[in-house]
Amino acid sequence: MEVALLYPRLFGKLVHQLTALGSDAGRAEDYVQEAFLRAWQQGPSFAQLQEGQQWAWLYKTAHNLMVDDIRHRAAQPQPELPEAVEDDLSRAAVAQVLGKLPAETRRLVVM
């Protein structure tokens, strides 16, 4: 079956499978879209596979894209804010929100 015919039938199912494995929906959609693009690039060799084989190919490709992305992001150093800065930001945010409340409500919250 051609990729264009599979896309509306399988896209949502594949996204669901990846989100069930822990991917967020936006990233899962990206992985599945990339898998369909790669299937389309395969041309006739993909089209001649049986439908179950096409599902397996798309699932495995999307899954591998997800795993590769997770590994890549895990290998990147994550900048960390010092704890004191995080606390100061939290205090500032709370103070800003409290300042927007009516006086009576603010007194109740601060108690």
Side-chain angles (χ1 to χ4, degrees):
M1 186 176 288
E2 291 185 34
V3 174
L5 298 175
L6 288 174
Y7 190 88
R9 292 179 54 211
L10 299 181
F11 183 84
K13 292 177 185 177
L14 287 164
V15 169
H16 177 73
Q17 290 292 317
L18 295 183
T19 55
L21 293 173
S23 178
D24 68 70
R27 287 184 194 270
E29 289 174 359
D30 290 344
Y31 306 138
V32 172
Q33 188 170 1
E34 178 65 23
F36 272 102
L37 176 62
R38 291 182 184 191
W40 178 74
Q41 290 171 337
Q42 293 293 315
S45 63
F46 180 82
Q48 69 187 6
L49 295 174
Q50 293 179 11
E51 192 170 339
Q53 292 173 315
Q54 289 175 327
W55 163 264
W57 192 96
L58 287 164
Y59 173 79
K60 190 63 176 173
T61 301
H63 180 267
N64 287 345
L65 288 165
M66 179 183 75
V67 170
D68 290 346
D69 185 46
I70 290 169
R71 287 179 181 156
H72 175 76
R73 286 186 288 120
Q76 300 299 315
Q78 300 297 318
E80 293 185 27
L81 291 174
E83 192 172 319
V85 172
E86 289 177 8
D87 289 343
D88 289 344
L89 290 174
S90 297
R91 284 190 200 116
V94 169
Q96 184 179 13
V97 170
L98 285 173
K100 293 178 181 179
L101 293 174
E104 182 65 26
T105 307
R106 185 173 44 246
R107 267 198 330 262
L108 291 172
V109 173
V110 173
M111 291 176 135

